[in-house]
Structures are given as structure tokens and as C-alpha cells.
Amino acid sequence: MIKKTRTAILWLYLTQKRFLLRPLFLLLLCLVPLLSFAVGRMSSGADSIIRAALSCRNPSDEKVREIFARLTDGGSAAIKYYVCSDEEELREDIGSGKARLGFVFPEDTGALFDSFAAQETAGGGALSVLGSLLSGNSKETDAGSILVLAGNNDVVTKLSREQLYGKIYQDLSLAILKAWMDQHAGGFYMQKEERDLYLEETMAAYQMNENLFQLAYPDEELVSDRASSDYLSSPLRGLLAVLMVLTGSAAALVLMLDEKEGRLVWMKNGSRCIYRYFSILIPVADTAVFTLIALRFTGSFTGWGKEILLLALLCLSVTGFSCLLSCLVTGMTLYGALIPILVLACLFLTPVFLDLTFLRPLQALLPPWLYLNSVHGAVPLQSMCLYAVISGLLSLSADYFLRIRETPVFPAL
């Protein structure tokens, strides 16, 4: 028993040494906490991650001055607004990259709101009117429209435009209320000027700046103000989980090369299965240790005990997944071609940036999906434990019955 234990420790040491002697692997491991620390410092020192330029074709417009003052004073950690002297400067800032996108307001913004407030919409209500204000899908008005200039029409640009909707909603809702009261003027004793003044004063008195929402996770853990506004470092946990999947896939590719060159032919079949599994687990565990250090520098760190448990389960899940996939796809060329596809699937089918709610069975097969949803209780931790056990048993079984007996599911290329 002691001899077997010494032999196992020696094999673990030699396998660990084999990976640590690779300078590129060591460099990548060291860069993980360094980059996380740098991103954390950048996110804490940056005033925003998106800069939006504002311009008006009529600088003397009182309504647009009021909107600009509210936008520039109410900047968030996500979007910061600033005013350009004219439209030409705004276009130059977008072209140079100083501003992510720009909003050019028309000659008479008040007339624009009044025009859109008075139109009849199929869906009805203020939200449908507000959605057509910048979309360009509504009928033309004499007051023009708000022109949105952007270098590209990506997801960030779309979300930034949606954020502006909320910023100008109170102005448009006031115009909609005025238009409704004008249509029902017979039911009011006041004249139009008196009604408009009364509405403006009343709505100004009831403006609320307090936050009506309290953000919490499914396990009832409250989200701190820093975590909710830390947009740069929020996807780091997901990216580090994808890095562990990439490490496991690369380790499986190294083992394929060993097998191709005949380095494992002298090992017994059962020992070879276990050796392959632990040869993938060791570099994945190394990455997990540095991932734990990296997470310590982010605002999403939940505590040493919980983080260690989650990363340990993620190590086992990634190892089982990578080992099983390498058993099903035995060709190095095909397996190497699948790695970029696997990374893209982990980025877009798991909640790294967005939590998409389709193809749930396929998403649940990817280790980062269970890990990211288990951090704060969206998915029970038992599911991750079950995934780690099942994937490990399937990988060992497939390794023995498919690869050792040379009956691969997909032929080698």
C-alpha cells in the first residue's frame, strides 16, 4: 500500500513537473491574476466604460439644455455623457474613438416630443411611443428626430440607446400627458397654459431620485453597490471558467500526441485510463489555483471556503468533460478544430456576458454554465456535484471501451 502511494505521488509529481516546465504554460498562469488585478484597478478608477457625445442643432433650445444638464449630471459607471460644441465635433469624436456613440437632437426637441406624443400607435401607451422615437420605424414628423451616430451596431450600442430611452422618458411622458389632456380638454376647467404649467410643476415635485430596487441573488445574498456598478470585472469569473475549459482541452490534445508517438503503450489499460484523467486534471487544477487568486482581486469574491469548493467541482467537471470529448473525437486534427468552437460555445451559451435562455440542454452540458449558475444559488450545488461524478465515470468508461479498444465514435483524422 505504501509502495503504491509512493508510486502515485511520484507520477503526480512527474506529470505536474512536465507542465510546469513549459514556459508558455507558466506565463499564462501568472498572467491570470495579474490581468485580473489590472482590470480591477481600471474598473475602480474609470469614471465609465462608454462615452456618449451629445449635440443639438439649436443650442438655444431650452428643452434640450435641460435634458443635457440632466444627462451630464446623472452619469453612471456604465455610460458617461458629455456635450459637444456642434455636430461636426461629435462626428469627429466618434471617428477618433473618443465617443462610442453620439446623439444629435433636432432644432426643436419640445416639438418633437409633442409630435410623437400626439400620434396614435398600434400598441398604445407611452412605451410604444418612446420606442419609436429613436428607432426610425415611425412616421415622419415635422420636428425631425433624434439622430443616433455609432461606429458599429453592436450589442453595447443597442443597450446604450436603450439607456437613453429611460433618461428622456420623463420628458416624453409629460408630453404624452399634455397631449391626452388636450384631447379631453372639455373635461377640465383650466385653459391649456394653466394645465401645462400645473402638470410641469406637479411632475417636477414628484421626481424621485432614490433607488426603488434592491438587487439580490437567488440565494438572497445582496449585491453590493461596487459589484453592481463594476462592469469591467463582472465577466472575469466567466472568462476564467472558459480558460479552465481551454486548459483541459489543450491537456487532452497533449495526451493525444503522447498516444500517437507511442509514449503510453507500455502502460496497462486500466492504469492508462486513470493516467489520462489525472493528466488532464493536474493542469486544470493549476489553472484553478491561479483563478482563485485572480477572483480575490475582483468584487465578486464570495469567500475562500465557497470559492474553493466551487472551483474544485469545476476542475472535476472540466476534466471529465475534456476527457470524454477526447474519447469520442480521437483525431488530433478534428479535436484541435473543435477547440475554438468549444470556446465560442462557452462564451455565448453560458452566462459570461449574457444569460441566453434557449438550448438549455446544450448549455447544461458545458461546465461553465453550471458553475456560473451555482455561485449564487440559481442552480443547486448538488447539480454540479452530480455533473462532476457522471462526467468522470463516463470519461473513464469511454476511455476504456472506446479508445483502448480502438472503437471511436468519430474516426481519427
Side-chain angles (χ1 to χ4, degrees):
M1 181 66 182
I2 297 177
K3 184 179 179 180
K4 291 183 178 180
T5 304
R6 288 178 178 176
T7 304
I9 294 175
L10 179 61
W11 273 107
L12 289 174
Y13 169 74
L14 293 175
T15 307
Q16 176 72 87
K17 184 178 178 180
R18 182 187 184 192
F19 285 100
L20 292 181
L21 286 177
R22 297 174 182 268
L24 183 59
F25 182 67
L26 274 177
L27 178 63
L28 291 175
L29 288 180
C30 294
L31 283 178
V32 169
L34 289 176
L35 290 177
S36 300
F37 177 74
V39 171
R41 294 295 299 270
M42 288 171 55
S43 61
S44 61
D47 55 352
S48 63
I49 60 175
I50 302 172
R51 288 175 57 84
L54 302 171
S55 178
C56 180
R57 290 168 179 167
N58 181 15
S60 61
D61 188 352
E62 292 296 332
K63 172 59 70 174
V64 83
R65 284 183 178 180
E66 177 186 343
I67 294 175
F68 283 5
R70 189 169 65 249
L71 291 176
T72 53
D73 292 340
S76 65
I79 303 177
K80 181 178 179 62
Y81 296 92
Y82 71 97
V83 181
C84 295
S85 58
D86 51 28
E87 184 177 342
E88 182 179 355
E89 180 185 353
L90 181 143
R91 291 178 180 271
E92 291 177 356
D93 287 353
I94 294 176
S96 63
K98 183 179 178 181
R100 183 64 180 265
L101 70 165
F103 300 97
V104 182
F105 284 72
E107 293 283 345
D108 192 343
T109 304
L112 171 65
F113 290 161
D114 294 338
S115 177
F116 273 84
Q119 69 175 326
E120 295 181 359
T121 58
L127 290 177
S128 59
V129 175
L130 185 59
S132 65
L133 185 61
L134 286 83
S135 63
N137 296 327
S138 60
K139 63 182 181 181
E140 293 293 331
T141 63
D142 296 334
S145 61
I146 300 175
L147 178 63
V148 183
L149 298 176
N152 50 69
N153 191 26
D154 55 7
V155 175
V156 176
T157 301
K158 291 182 173 68
L159 293 179
S160 302
R161 191 181 64 178
E162 296 288 340
Q163 200 255 9
L164 182 69
Y165 292 170
K167 292 291 185 179
I168 64 176
Y169 176 76
Q170 65 184 72
D171 302 283
L172 186 60
S173 60
L174 178 60
I176 293 173
L177 186 53
K178 288 181 179 180
W180 182 86
M181 295 189 73
D182 290 341
Q183 294 175 4
H184 302 82
F188 302 98
Y189 65 89
M190 293 184 291
Q191 299 297 319
K192 176 176 174 53
E193 291 77 10
E194 295 176 320
R195 291 199 309 268
D196 292 347
L197 180 61
Y198 172 77
L199 289 175
E200 292 172 2
E201 293 177 349
T202 303
M203 293 191 69
Y206 282 92
Q207 291 297 332
M208 298 172 58
N209 298 321
E210 290 78 10
N211 190 1
L212 299 178
F213 302 95
Q214 190 176 49
L215 189 60
Y217 294 111
D219 59 0
E220 298 184 357
E221 178 187 351
L222 295 179
V223 182
S224 63
D225 293 337
R226 178 193 171 189
S228 62
S229 61
D230 200 351
Y231 295 92
L232 284 178
S233 62
S234 57
L236 272 179
R237 181 184 293 274
L239 292 174
L240 292 173
V242 176
L243 177 63
M244 291 178 61
V245 174
L246 181 60
T247 302
S249 301
L253 200 59
V254 172
L255 285 173
M256 286 183 178
L257 181 61
D258 290 343
E259 190 174 42
K260 182 179 180 181
E261 296 180 352
R263 295 193 181 101
L264 306 179
V265 294
W266 57 272
M267 298 181 68
K268 296 180 180 179
N269 290 347
S271 300
R272 199 184 307 177
C273 296
I274 298 175
Y275 172 76
R276 284 200 188 97
Y277 183 86
F278 280 96
S279 293
I280 297 176
L281 177 61
I282 288 174
V284 172
D286 292 338
T287 309
V289 171
F290 283 82
T291 297
L292 180 65
I293 299 173
L295 289 174
R296 184 63 184 86
F297 295 117
T298 67
S300 60
F301 191 75
T302 59
W304 290 104
K306 186 175 182 179
E307 294 289 358
I308 291 174
L309 176 61
L310 287 169
L311 285 174
L313 291 175
L314 180 60
C315 284
L316 297 176
S317 301
V318 169
T319 302
F321 176 83
S322 302
C323 190
L324 179 60
L325 187 62
S326 64
C327 293
L328 300 178
V329 184
T330 58
M332 289 185 61
T333 304
L334 180 57
Y335 190 84
L338 285 177
I339 291 178
I341 300 176
L342 176 62
V343 171
L344 288 176
C346 291
L347 287 175
F348 293 103
L349 294 181
T350 61
V352 176
F353 299 102
L354 295 173
D355 189 8
L356 304 176
T357 57
F358 63 92
L359 300 177
R360 277 293 191 229
L362 178 60
Q363 290 174 307
L365 292 177
L366 301 172
W369 188 87
L370 275 176
Y371 167 69
L372 295 175
N373 282 285
S374 299
V375 174
H376 296 290
V379 172
L381 193 61
Q382 291 82 352
S383 300
M384 199 173 179
C385 297
L386 188 63
Y387 183 98
V389 172
I390 292 178
S391 62
L393 293 177
L394 286 177
S395 63
L396 292 174
S397 302
D399 199 349
Y400 183 81
F401 290 105
L402 294 179
R403 181 151 54 187
I404 292 178
R405 295 191 176 185
E406 298 181 352
T407 55
V409 176
F410 298 101
L413 295 180

